[in-house]
Amino acid sequence: MKKISLLVLLLTIIGITGCGNKTVSDNHVKKNTEKVLNSSSKTWVFDKSISSNMEKHTLSNDISVSSMKKTSMETTWSTSNKKFHNGAIEYHQVSLKKWKQGIESHVTKEAQNTIHYLTVEQINASLKKLGAKVTIDQLSDLIFLQTESNGVDLTDVFIADGNHLYQVTAEYRDVEDLRTIERGKSYLDTGVKKDIPNVPVDKLNGTWVAPETTTSATDSGKVLIKDGFFYQKRFDSIERSAIQNLQKYSLVSLNQNNTYSEQKRNAATAGYDLSQKSVATGDSLGYLYIFLSKEKMLRIGGGQTVTYDKLNNIIAPSDLSTNEIDVFKNSDSHSSGQTASTLTTKSDASFLEMSQSINYLTDPEAGQITDRVPAE
């Protein structure tokens, strides 16, 4: 009798220990993901996509890597304090139970029978094909998202590991014909991104040059900065944009700004972090200019990163005259609701092209011509 009691006690201890270990293991994956996502700001750049064939309600176990290229401008995510942002759309985390309830609440009771949830094994197969070194033990190890504004659930789920973010399809519906469905995507945080300090805008005045640039009518390899404005010559015009100190914007407003999100993605692709600490600007061709210091600036765009160095603190009159600067200034003081983005000089008369904004980092309407007025 004593032997039986000891055996029962031993099995009980083993059982408790086993359960305890499983709980630690299950929690570890979720905690690791939350640790990665707990950063104040991360940008995740598209890396890889996978897909599978399906017919009616059968999903193939044969997963293939899609031929989609990294340059195809795939969806990019940003995360901030555990919240996700896709452009201006913000998502918050919900439980597995609430996520399933949300998925099923948008279809009829009959249609709910057509909904299928991927198993742990299928999720792990997707993660493995994406190159993940981590696996899940249960579906609750994953991150489930719902839109902040209207409570719509995202059918993909997430897991993070190191500088990788994995987005995996977790739900699919019956279909009538053979088709290919996306099984997941991977993203890179480009963890080697270089942090950029805040640079005083009033210390940037002068002439900046990019020696490696092949000069052309649209790219002289030279930019001119005066009192918070960024000037460059293109053809017979002088284009102007505002240098923006992003510390003046709240992190929430930046994360919800599509224009900023796109430029943040461009910077991350080049290995730099455009953040709330950055001082930067843009132009009518879609380039991003980030100031790394008072003497060095990067231009990012067109698949290239070009370095500009500050030549000196002086602007030669042949590059940008005091009179031309005054024309812009006079326009700023007289134009209501508009700002001069371009000064064009003609033999008969000069004119200004007006825009609603020249804040190229945060305003999608920046640089778009709304009016043309005589230069005074």
Side-chain angles (χ1 to χ4, degrees), residues 49-93:
S49 177
I50 58 173
S51 59
S52 280
N53 289 330
M54 72 167 295
E55 185 174 3
K56 294 191 179 298
H57 54 265
T58 303
L59 183 62
S60 172
N61 290 325
D62 184 17
I63 306 174
S64 59
V65 177
S66 303
S67 58
M68 192 177 295
K69 299 183 184 301
K70 295 180 184 180
T71 56
S72 60
M73 306 301 281
E74 264 297 294
T75 300
T76 296
W77 290 93
S78 63
T79 55
S80 174
N81 298 322
K82 297 184 181 180
K83 289 192 176 183
F84 283 65
H85 299 86
N86 177 213
I89 303 175
E90 182 174 281
Y91 297 83
H92 65 270
Q93 298 181 29

Side-chain angles (χ1 to χ4, degrees), residues 20-31:
N21 287 340
K22 188 176 189 306
T23 302
V24 171
S25 174
D26 290 344
N27 288 338
H28 172 73
V29 179
K30 185 73 169 283
K31 284 180 179 178

